[in-house]
Amino acid sequence: MTAPTPNTVAWFQIGSDNPEQVKSFYADLFGWSYLADPDFDGNYDMVTYPGNPQPRGGIARTPDSTANHAIFYVLVTDVAATIATAEKLGAKIEAPLTKTPSGLIFAELRDTSGNHFGVFTPPPA
C-alpha cells in the first residue's frame, strides 16, 4: 500500500451517537473492520477495508444525534500553514489545530460555502 499523496483526501470520519449500530451497518454493507484508536480513549475506531489492513477512516462517538456527521480529511504537509491559507481564503476554523500523543496533527474547518472538512498530518513513521 502506498502512502497517500499530500493535498488529497486521505481519511474520512463518520460521527454517530450510536457507533456500534453504524459500525455494524458499514461492516454488513462494505465488509469494513474496526480497530480501537488508543489516542481517543475508546471514543474512536479506525476503519480498515477487506484486503487492506491500513486504516483509511474512522468512526467517532458523538454526544447526541445533532452532532452526527460525515467529513473528509485532506493530507497536508503543514497543518498550521494550511489553516492560515484557508483563513485568508475565507474559511472558518471549526476545531483548532490539535496534536495527539502519537503525533497526529489535525484541524477542522468550514469552507466558503459552510462545508465541514479537515486537514491532517499523520504521526511520524
Side-chain angles (χ1 to χ4, degrees):
M1 181 75 175
T2 60
T5 304
N7 299 323
T8 63
V9 175
W11 192 265
F12 70 89
Q13 176 177 291
I14 298 168
S16 175
D17 60 322
N18 192 341
E20 294 307 315
Q21 181 183 52
V22 82
K23 286 175 10 184
S24 178
F25 172 82
Y26 286 109
D28 291 346
L29 183 63
F30 299 126
W32 292 358
S33 298
Y34 307 95
L35 305 166
D37 186 331
D39 282 337
F40 291 97
D41 203 23
N43 289 314
Y44 199 86
D45 291 295
M46 296 180 290
V47 175
T48 60
Y49 307 125
N52 182 4
Q54 184 70 24
R56 293 291 185 219
I59 306 292
R61 176 177 296 281
T62 62
D64 59 57
S65 64
T66 64
N68 290 354
H69 61 274
I71 181 174
F72 67 89
Y73 286 81
V74 176
L75 175 81
V76 298
T77 57
D78 186 331
V79 171
T82 302
I83 291 169
T85 300
E87 284 186 301
K88 288 178 187 172
L89 295 171
K92 305 290 185 228
I93 304 298
E94 183 74 16
L97 186 144
T98 302
K99 185 173 183 179
T100 68
S102 69
L104 169 71
I105 301 169
F106 68 95
E108 294 179 5
L109 305 130
R110 295 264 176 198
D111 69 18
T112 55
S113 289
N115 297 302
H116 190 182
F117 72 100
V119 294
F120 77 102
T121 301

